[in-house]
Amino acid sequence: LQFFLGAIGYMAFAMAVAWGQRRRIKEQVLAECLYELAVYVECKAGFYDASKDFDEQFNALVRQQIAVADKPQVARDFVFRDNRTTSDGRLVQIHMRMLDIYEYLLSSNTDYPLLRQWLADAEVMRLLRDVIERLRMDIEGAAYAVGRDRPSPTPVSYDQEVAAIEGALHELQHNHHGVPIEAIAALEESVATVRGAIRLMAQLHAATATPVELSQVLLRPDMTPFLTRQK
C-alpha cells in the first residue's frame, strides 16, 4: 500500500511539473511574439523621422513584418492547446489582444512620403515618432511581464502626448501654412492610428491581469483542428 501511494504521489508530482513546464513555454512564446511586435512598432516610428532613409526604413519594416507574421502562428499552436483553467484563458486572451494590435497597425496605410515631403521638420512629426516609441516601450514592458507570469505594469498615460499631437493637427487644419490638404489628411490618418493603437494597448494591459473562462475566449473546447500542428 505504501508503495502504491508513493507511486500515485510521484505521478501527481510529475504531472504537475509537466503542466507547469507547458504553461511556462506558452508564456515564453507569447513574450517573444510581443518583443517582435515591439520591434515592428519601432520600425513604424522611424517613418516619422525624416533623417532616416525612407527605403531603408521600408525594407526594415517588411523584414520585421515577416518575422512578426510567423511568430503568432507558432504561438497559437502552443497557446490554443491543452487549456483547462482561467489562467490558460488569460494567455489565450493575451494572444488575441496582441493580434489585434498587429493587425490594426498592419492595416494602416499612411502616406509617409507625403508626410515627409511637407512636414519633415514639423513638430508634429517628432511628437508622433515619440508617442509611437513610447508605445513600443509599453509593449516591451508587457512582454517582460508575460514572460514572468505577471500582470503588465500599470498602463502609462498618453494623454499629454495625444493632446500635443491633436493641438498641432488642429493648427494645421485651420492654418494650412502652405501644407496641401492631402498631407493634412495623411496626418489625420496617422493621428487616428495612434489613438486606436493606444486604445488596443490598454486592452492588452487588461488582458495580462485578468483570468478568463475558456468558454469566453475559445470557439470550442478542443481547438486542435485549427492548429498547424495537430499533435
Side-chain angles (χ1 to χ4, degrees):
L1 178 61
Q2 186 175 4
F3 174 80
F4 177 75
L5 292 176
I8 293 295
Y10 177 79
M11 183 180 298
F13 173 76
M15 290 177 64
V17 170
W19 188 258
Q21 289 176 335
R22 188 179 298 114
R23 176 179 171 79
R24 182 66 176 158
I25 291 172
K26 290 182 180 183
E27 292 166 350
Q28 291 302 310
V29 170
L30 273 178
E32 289 176 11
C33 285
L34 285 165
Y35 279 122
E36 292 289 355
L37 177 60
V39 176
Y40 178 77
V41 170
E42 184 177 24
C43 291
K44 285 275 190 178
F47 285 111
Y48 296 94
D49 184 350
S51 68
K52 294 186 176 182
D53 182 79
F54 178 84
D55 290 336
E56 290 181 4
Q57 198 65 29
F58 181 80
N59 291 335
L61 180 72
V62 171
R63 288 193 299 270
Q64 189 58 26
Q65 185 173 309
I66 293 171
V68 176
D70 288 341
K71 288 286 186 179
Q73 182 63 60
V74 175
R76 187 176 69 176
D77 285 343
F78 284 99
V79 173
F80 282 71
R81 192 187 302 275
D82 298 327
N83 292 310
R84 301 177 186 176
T85 69
T86 56
S87 294
D88 294 320
R90 168 180 169 268
L91 296 180
V92 172
Q93 183 168 240
I94 291 170
H95 184 270
M96 294 170 67
R97 298 292 80 79
M98 174 188 66
L99 282 180
D100 286 344
I101 295 173
Y102 171 62
E103 291 174 355
Y104 177 77
L105 294 175
L106 185 64
S107 67
S108 64
N109 294 305
T110 301
D111 192 338
Y112 298 113
L114 186 63
L115 287 177
R116 285 171 164 233
Q117 178 182 352
W118 292 99
L119 297 166
D121 299 322
E123 177 70 4
V124 70
M125 292 285 278
R126 182 192 65 78
L127 292 170
L128 283 166
R129 181 199 65 204
D130 289 352
V131 76
I132 296 171
E133 279 286 354
R134 192 173 184 192
L135 183 66
R136 184 264 303 173
M137 291 187 288
D138 209 1
I139 294 172
E140 287 181 347
Y144 183 86
V146 169
R148 285 153 184 78
D149 193 23
R150 303 173 186 169
S152 60
T154 303
V156 298
S157 173
Y158 293 86
D159 292 348
Q160 185 174 350
E161 290 90 342
V162 171
I165 291 169
E166 290 180 341
L169 173 60
H170 183 269
E171 169 65 20
L172 281 170
Q173 287 170 328
H174 291 80
N175 302 289
H176 291 187
H177 302 291
V179 178
I181 191 66
E182 293 82 4
I184 294 175
L187 180 61
E188 290 170 344
E189 182 177 350
S190 289
V191 174
T193 298
V194 165
R195 288 197 205 102
I198 291 171
R199 183 179 65 254
L200 293 175
M201 189 66 219
Q203 294 175 12
L204 174 62
H205 278 301
T208 68
T210 311
V212 181
E213 292 292 339
L214 291 169
S215 60
Q216 296 180 21
V217 290
L218 295 179
L219 295 174
R220 51 189 287 178
D222 181 12
M223 295 293 290
T224 303
F226 300 94
L227 304 180
T228 303
R229 298 182 304 147
Q230 298 298 308
K231 295 182 179 181

